[in-house]
């Protein structure tokens, strides 16, 4: 028997031209949604210490950041607000203030860049004095699901009025997609999309994000509404509910430690699937690169490619601008 191989996969790897020709997965700037942190004040650009290279911007400066990203071919943005403690209460009333930091910034971005897509965040934690994504019972400390839906619906409506193209419920309350869809449709916003955080896990990778927005829970944790990282089939149950309730797109969060969930969801839906490459995943790569342990640029692109290969149609990522620069260089 001859030991000479008859099948030679390396023939498809022998030159850059052939490797490019048979490449299965490709990244483009159209894949990216760029998260932005917005703070009070004027002419402010403050680095997030736990996220080197990522900044919190005052509303005037965020316009410049959006413009720079648009120049690189990024056209989708997900702003998140850092709200002063004095404006927070247990019912997140500031979330519906059209003259407040967040909604005014959303409106300003859409006015300056009407062609971009703005995805807004629907959850109470940035505005809540309790730091939770839902209403907290003052006696028991329980997160009240149905009472939270009222707040979330009004929050989504205010964001649609401000100019949001996509509403992103990140709260993980039961029934919130159907509730928000009904509120939007009943008020003339049937054109506004819902990208549901379908499988949002109770992850340790959110730490730097909570630093950036000062939105950590004051008591307890989020495990009664965010999902157990050990569970896979539960994500499919959430997917089935979100599809039935009217979601236009679904999301997996985090991304890098949940590539199997991205693929599982992709295999079970015809809806677009997005993934959130979260703050802790970003920070790990940045920290390793700053210490010289990995090539930061190559690792960044490999991480993003893995998320796309797993099945994500779009990726929320803090690497958006840096990856766009790499893609521009070819």
């Amino acid at each position: 028997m001859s030991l000479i191989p008859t099948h030679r996969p390396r023939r498809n790897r022998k030159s850059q031209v052939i490797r490019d020709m048979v490449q299965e997965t490709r990244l483009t700037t159209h894949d990216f949604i760029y998260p932005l942190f917005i703070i009070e004040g004027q002419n402010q650009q403050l680095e997030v210490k736990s996220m080197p290279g990522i900044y919190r911007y005052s509303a005037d400066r965020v316009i410049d950041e959006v413009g720079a990203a648009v120049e690189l071919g990024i056209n989708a943005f997900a702003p998140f607000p850092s709200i002063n403690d004095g404006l927070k209460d247990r019912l997140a009333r500031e979330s519906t203030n059209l003259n407040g930091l967040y909604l005014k910034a959303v409106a300003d971005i859409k006015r300056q860049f009407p062609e971009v897509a703005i995805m807004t965040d629907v959850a109470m934690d940035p505005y809540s004095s309790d730091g939770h994504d839902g209403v907290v019972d003052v006696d028991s400390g329980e997160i009240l699901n149905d009472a939270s839906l009222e707040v979330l619906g009004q929050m989504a409506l205010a964001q649609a009025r401000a100019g949001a193209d996509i509403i992103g419920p990140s709260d993980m309350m039961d029934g919130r997609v159907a509730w928000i869809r009904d509120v939007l449709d009943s008020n003339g916003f049937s054109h506004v999309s819902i990208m549901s955080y379908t499988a949002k896990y109770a992850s340790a990778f959110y730490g730097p994000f909570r630093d950036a927005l000062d939105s950590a829970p004051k008591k307890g944790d989020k495990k009664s509404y965010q999902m157990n990282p050990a569970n896979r089939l539960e994500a499919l149950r959430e997917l089935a509910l979100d599809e039935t309730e009217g979601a236009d797109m679904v999301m997996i969060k985090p991304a890098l430690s949940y590539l199997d969930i991205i693929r599982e969801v992709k295999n079970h839906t015809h809806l677009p699937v997005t993934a959130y490459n979260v703050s802790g995943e970003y920070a790990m790569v940045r920290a390793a690169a700053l210490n010289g342990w990995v090539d930061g640029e190559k690792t960044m692109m490999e991480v993003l490619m893995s998320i796309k290969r797993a099945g994500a149609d779009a990726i929320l990522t803090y690497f958006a601008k840096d990856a766009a620069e790499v893609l521009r260089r070819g």
Side-chain angles (χ1 to χ4, degrees):
M1 182 182 294
S2 172
L3 296 180
I4 298 175
T6 56
H7 298 281
R8 295 183 181 271
R10 286 184 56 196
R11 284 194 287 258
N12 287 343
R13 306 173 198 149
K14 65 184 178 183
S15 74
Q16 187 63 53
V17 171
I18 293 176
R19 288 193 296 272
D20 289 342
M21 184 189 306
V22 300
Q23 182 169 320
E24 299 172 25
T25 306
R26 298 184 187 276
L27 280 170
T28 76
T29 54
H30 300 301
D31 298 321
F32 301 146
I33 303 171
Y34 183 18
L36 298 164
F37 298 131
I38 303 175
I39 57 174
E40 297 280 3
Q42 293 288 320
N43 197 32
Q44 297 291 307
Q45 180 176 326
L46 308 176
E47 189 171 37
V48 181
K49 290 183 179 179
S50 53
M51 299 177 70
I54 297 299
Y55 297 86
R56 303 188 300 168
Y57 298 96
S58 54
D60 55 335
R61 292 294 296 275
V62 83
I63 295 294
D64 297 333
E65 182 66 2
V66 170
V70 168
E71 285 292 317
L72 290 167
I74 300 165
N75 290 297
F77 300 87
F80 296 90
S82 178
I83 303 298
N84 291 338
D85 283 346
L87 296 174
K88 298 179 181 182
D89 61 38
R90 63 181 296 271
L91 295 179
R93 292 182 178 91
E94 181 62 17
S95 67
T96 59
N97 179 6
L98 288 171
N99 293 313
L101 170 68
Y102 187 58
L103 298 181
K104 190 173 183 301
V106 169
D108 288 346
I109 294 170
K110 282 299 291 184
R111 190 178 303 111
Q112 293 281 342
F113 301 95
E115 73 281 4
V116 307
I118 301 295
M119 173 188 168
T120 50
D121 179 54
V122 176
M124 290 178 61
D125 55 333
Y127 313 93
S128 167
S129 52
D130 297 301
H132 276 284
D133 293 15
V135 177
V136 179
D137 184 272
V138 292
D139 296 319
S140 67
E142 179 187 355
I143 310 302
L144 302 175
N145 190 95
D146 295 0
S148 301
L149 298 182
E150 291 273 1
V151 179
L152 299 170
Q154 292 307 304
M155 188 186 306
L157 180 58
Q159 293 172 0
R161 286 173 172 156
D165 301 285
I166 303 169
I167 300 296
S170 63
D171 54 284
M172 291 300 289
M173 297 297 119
D174 294 338
R176 87 275 202 207
V177 172
W179 187 282
I180 290 170
R181 184 74 272 160
D182 183 63
V183 170
L184 293 176
D185 291 357
S186 299
N187 286 275
F189 291 99
S190 59
H191 61 284
V192 174
S193 306
I194 295 177
M195 181 190 291
S196 175
Y197 285 58
T198 290
K200 182 179 181 181
Y201 285 87
S203 172
F205 285 101
Y206 302 149
F209 179 95
R210 292 173 182 167
D211 290 344
L213 299 186
D214 188 25
S215 61
K218 300 301 184 284
K219 291 182 180 179
D221 54 41
K222 301 190 176 188
K223 292 180 180 179
S224 71
Y225 46 100
Q226 293 180 359
M227 287 174 50
N228 184 342
N231 290 359
R232 175 180 62 87
L233 296 178
E234 187 178 4
L236 297 181
R237 184 184 185 196
E238 292 281 2
L239 169 65
L241 289 169
D242 285 352
E243 287 184 317
T244 300
E245 292 179 20
D248 300 287
M249 298 170 248
V250 296
M251 184 198 293
I252 313 304
K253 181 181 180 183
L256 193 54
S257 291
Y258 298 85
L259 297 177
D260 60 320
I261 307 300
I262 296 171
R263 173 46 56 187
E264 191 81 52
V265 168
K266 183 68 173 177
N267 287 344
H268 283 83
T269 187
H270 296 295
L271 294 178
V273 175
T274 62
Y276 200 146
N277 179 211
V278 299
S279 58
E281 296 169 343
Y282 171 91
M284 285 194 308
V285 174
R286 275 287 187 254
L290 288 171
N291 280 283
W293 300 332
V294 299
D295 182 311
E297 190 172 283
K298 291 179 180 178
T299 304
M300 168 186 71
M301 298 306 289
E302 186 174 339
V303 163
L304 294 174
M305 188 68 77
S306 75
I307 298 168
K308 184 75 184 291
R309 188 187 65 240
D313 298 293
I315 306 168
L316 282 86
T317 179
Y318 302 96
F319 287 123
K321 278 182 69 182
D322 291 337
E325 291 276 11
V326 174
L327 292 171
R328 172 175 279 191
R329 297 200 306 266

